[in-house]
């Protein structure tokens, strides 16, 4: 997840989040909603959910928008995007844009970006921290009054994120830091009028941003994660009392057994920025830390009444990752999850056109998703069906009968489908 500058620094000073895709693959963060392929542009034969974004049920896709590069937003764009998305995230200094979004649609939930894990040296000028920060604690104040809040390495030096100048890692297990972080963020959020807080960098590996070197205080992943859980638990009641919804960036939770549920227990939701599709051809199959763990992020959160934001990565016009991600999303979603695909890492500016698939209405699910073959999963709706083959790319294709004539993504009527490994389909039928 990109760390964002203060308003005085410029919108493009960013850093990349270190995550793992398949095994040792390293990937970085981004968000941009991209259009679907020309094939996806075929007119659906089923009921259309309309041009708005917020779906009331599980049969239509909800979306989110992270506007964090401070790109200009016209009044017309603000009015359109407020209606298009269920959730929008802004920088702390974008209060004027917040007002425009809320004026257009009071129901859109607007979050402020705040980093849990670092303070920013570049947001401190002449000994004074900026009024609105991308973090919860100012660098100048911490450096002057609370040097013990900075996390130290085995050599006794502060951790500056590798490759990201001015990003200083803080001791999230320090109760005084936790208290100050919560108090500052709540005060800033309420004064501006945000609905919630998007907490970046709820980390899992102790060597995040400094590979192979863990903090002296938290030398193991388990100790490091315990510190995050303690911080989230300590703040939970305060944010609830303040009426602020909390969603944290939990990228790579799937690599740490039980970590997603353990963190979200103290939150209103979680965000997975690398979800099922890592690029046009690198799609997550089923294995111990693979497909099921990521889909379970949605199903677990929905069962507990929590929000889930998922972000696949692929280019416009790429049918296979689009369908794999959307079918996986529909397998698990209820009335709170949202999806937004991205092509370019760290492009957090204007939203782009998106696939017509976001407007399709599959109706009401007839049950939870189920296995119909080895690593092949299906969920039926009153107005459609979704199927995913989560076997690897080199596996043999699977042919399935549908039990009825349905409309595929190209607008053709089909009674069977053949799915290669790591592929999916979203099928519709005409509903009254």
């Amino acid at each position: 997840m990109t760390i964002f500058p203060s308003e005085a620094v410029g919108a493009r000073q960013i850093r990349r989040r270190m995550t793992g895709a398949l095994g040792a693959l390293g990937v970085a963060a981004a968000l941009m909603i991209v259009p679907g392929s020309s094939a996806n542009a075929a007119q659906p034969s089923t009921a259309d959910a309309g041009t708005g974004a917020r779906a009331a049920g599980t049969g239509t896709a909800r979306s989110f928008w992270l506007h964090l590069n401070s790109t200009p937003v016209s009044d017309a764009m603000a009015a359109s995007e407020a209606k298009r998305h269920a959730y929008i995230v802004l920088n702390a200094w974008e209060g004027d844009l917040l007002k425009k979004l809320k004026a257009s649609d009071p129901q859109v939930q607007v979050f402020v970006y705040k980093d849990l894990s670092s303070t920013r040296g570049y947001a401190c000028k002449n000994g004074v921290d900026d009024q609105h920060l991308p973090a919860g604690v100012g660098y100048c104040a911490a450096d002057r009054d609370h040097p013990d809040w900075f996390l130290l390495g085995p050599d006794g030096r502060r951790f500056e994120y590798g490759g990201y100048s001015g990003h200083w890692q803080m001791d999230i297990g320090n109760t005084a830091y936790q208290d100050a972080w919560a108090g500052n963020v709540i005060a800033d959020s309420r004064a501006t009028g945000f609905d919630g807080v998007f907490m970046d960098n709820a980390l899992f590996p102790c060597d995040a941003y400094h590979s192979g070197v863990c903090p002296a205080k938290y030398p193991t992943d388990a100790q490091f994660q315990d510190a995050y859980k303690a911080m989230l638990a300590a703040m939970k009641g305060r944010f609830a009392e303040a009426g602020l919804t909390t969603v944290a960036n939990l990228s790579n939770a799937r690599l740490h057994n039980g970590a997603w549920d353990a963190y979200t227990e103290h939150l209103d939701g979680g965000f997975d920025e690398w979800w099922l599709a890592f690029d046009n051809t690198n799609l997550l199959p089923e294995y111990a830390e693979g497909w099921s763990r990521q889909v379970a992020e949605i199903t677990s959160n929905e069962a507990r009444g929590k929000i889930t934001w998922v972000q696949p990565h692929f280019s416009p016009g790429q049918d296979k990752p689009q369908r794999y991600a959307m079918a996986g999303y529909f397998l698990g979603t209820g009335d709170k999850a949202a999806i937004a695909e991205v092509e370019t890492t760290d492009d957090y500016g204007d939203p782009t056109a998106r696939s017509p698939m976001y407007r399709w209405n599959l109706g009401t699910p007839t049950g939870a998703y189920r296995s119909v073959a080895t690593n092949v999963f299906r969920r039926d709706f009153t107005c459609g069906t979704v199927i995913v083959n989560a076997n690897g790319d080199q596996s043999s294709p699977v042919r399935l009968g549908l039990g009825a004539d349905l409309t595929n993504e190209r607008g053709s009527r089909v009674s069977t489908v053949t799915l290669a490994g790591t592929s999916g389909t979203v099928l519709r039928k005409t509903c009254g």
Side-chain angles (χ1 to χ4, degrees):
M1 184 66 217
T2 299
I3 299 285
F4 303 96
S6 69
E7 64 269 47
V9 175
R12 295 291 175 178
Q13 183 176 342
I14 55 179
R15 64 88 175 155
R16 299 184 344 179
R17 179 182 178 86
M18 289 174 271
T19 57
L22 297 180
L25 176 67
V27 290
L31 182 116
M32 181 175 65
I33 299 176
V34 299
S37 68
S38 57
N40 281 346
Q43 292 299 312
S45 62
T46 188
D48 195 296
T51 57
R54 274 183 300 286
T58 57
T60 43
R62 295 155 64 91
S63 66
F64 61 94
W65 175 32
L66 272 66
H67 179 264
L68 295 170
N69 279 351
S70 296
T71 53
V73 177
S74 68
D75 291 350
M77 179 185 287
S80 173
E81 298 308 317
K83 295 180 175 65
R84 179 180 172 193
H85 305 285
Y87 314 98
I88 297 175
V89 183
L90 305 177
N91 293 300
W93 50 89
E94 295 185 290
D96 289 343
L97 177 54
L98 167 66
K99 293 176 183 177
K100 292 179 182 179
L101 294 169
K102 284 294 192 177
S104 177
D105 192 334
Q107 298 305 309
V108 64
Q109 295 186 49
V110 186
F111 291 68
V112 63
Y113 174 97
K114 295 287 184 177
D115 184 32
L116 278 170
S117 301
S118 76
T119 187
R120 312 297 169 76
Y122 58 74
C124 166
K125 301 167 187 68
N126 299 318
V128 179
D129 292 308
D130 291 345
Q131 178 183 0
H132 297 292
L133 297 170
V137 169
Y139 176 86
C140 287
D143 185 54
R144 180 183 63 247
D145 302 326
H146 301 283
D148 56 310
W149 291 358
F150 289 85
L151 204 57
L152 305 179
D155 60 1
R157 296 183 180 181
R158 295 176 180 177
F159 275 122
E160 187 175 22
Y161 287 170
Y164 305 102
S165 177
H167 297 63
W168 297 95
Q169 194 164 6
M170 306 303 281
D171 182 2
I172 38 77
N174 184 300
T175 56
Y177 173 75
Q178 297 170 3
D179 183 67
W181 197 98
N184 293 342
V185 170
I186 289 171
D188 192 29
S189 303
R190 294 189 67 180
T192 308
F194 286 101
D195 299 303
V197 180
F198 175 59
M199 303 174 177
D200 195 17
N201 283 311
L203 303 173
F204 300 103
C206 61
D207 64 346
Y209 298 114
H210 30 81
S211 181
V213 182
C214 290
K217 188 174 179 179
Y218 310 113
T220 69
D221 289 351
Q223 291 170 312
F224 194 56
Q225 291 170 24
D226 283 346
Y228 274 98
K229 287 182 282 188
M231 182 178 187
L232 296 173
M235 300 190 304
K236 179 180 180 180
R238 295 181 65 178
F239 281 92
E241 184 178 352
L244 293 167
T245 303
T246 56
V247 173
N249 189 341
L250 306 178
S251 182
N252 263 10
R254 68 179 177 85
L255 301 178
H256 303 269
N257 189 29
W260 178 275
D261 284 356
Y263 280 34
T264 54
E265 181 66 25
H266 310 296
L267 296 160
D268 296 307
F271 169 51
D272 192 331
E273 62 178 318
W274 291 91
W275 196 78
L276 294 187
F278 305 115
D279 59 37
N280 294 338
T281 60
N282 185 6
L283 309 181
L284 186 69
E286 180 67 299
Y287 67 101
E289 298 169 344
W291 184 90
S292 285
R293 282 203 181 173
Q294 287 206 313
V295 174
E297 293 169 358
I298 297 181
T299 57
S300 174
N301 273 13
E302 292 285 356
R304 295 177 293 155
K306 296 179 182 291
I307 297 166
T308 315
W309 302 340
V310 295
Q311 181 178 269
H313 290 63
F314 52 86
S315 303
Q318 295 292 317
D319 287 344
K320 187 178 180 182
Q322 171 86 69
R323 296 171 187 173
Y324 191 59
M326 291 298 289
Y329 167 79
F330 280 123
L331 284 178
T333 190
D335 63 356
K336 292 186 179 299
I339 182 170
E341 62 262 33
V342 62
E343 179 189 13
T344 305
T345 298
D346 290 337
D347 189 345
Y348 291 84
D350 296 347
T352 64
R354 61 183 177 183
S355 166
M357 202 177 294
Y358 280 85
R359 300 194 302 270
W360 294 354
N361 187 351
L362 303 183
T364 304
T366 60
Y369 78 84
R370 65 190 188 278
S371 175
V372 293
T374 302
N375 297 329
V376 181
F377 306 95
R378 173 172 178 162
R379 191 182 194 189
D380 294 312
F381 295 76
T382 55
C383 299
T385 291
V386 294
I387 305 172
V388 167
N389 180 355
N391 289 294
D393 287 337
Q394 303 305 313
S395 62
S396 299
V398 175
R399 185 174 185 270
L400 297 171
L402 300 176
D405 286 343
L406 299 173
T407 301
N408 68 13
E409 294 86 352
R410 292 182 170 83
S412 300
R413 299 288 286 177
V414 295
S415 58
T416 64
V417 293
T418 300
L419 295 176
T422 59
S423 68
T425 185
V426 180
L427 305 161
R428 298 152 290 151
K429 65 182 179 181
T430 302
C431 288

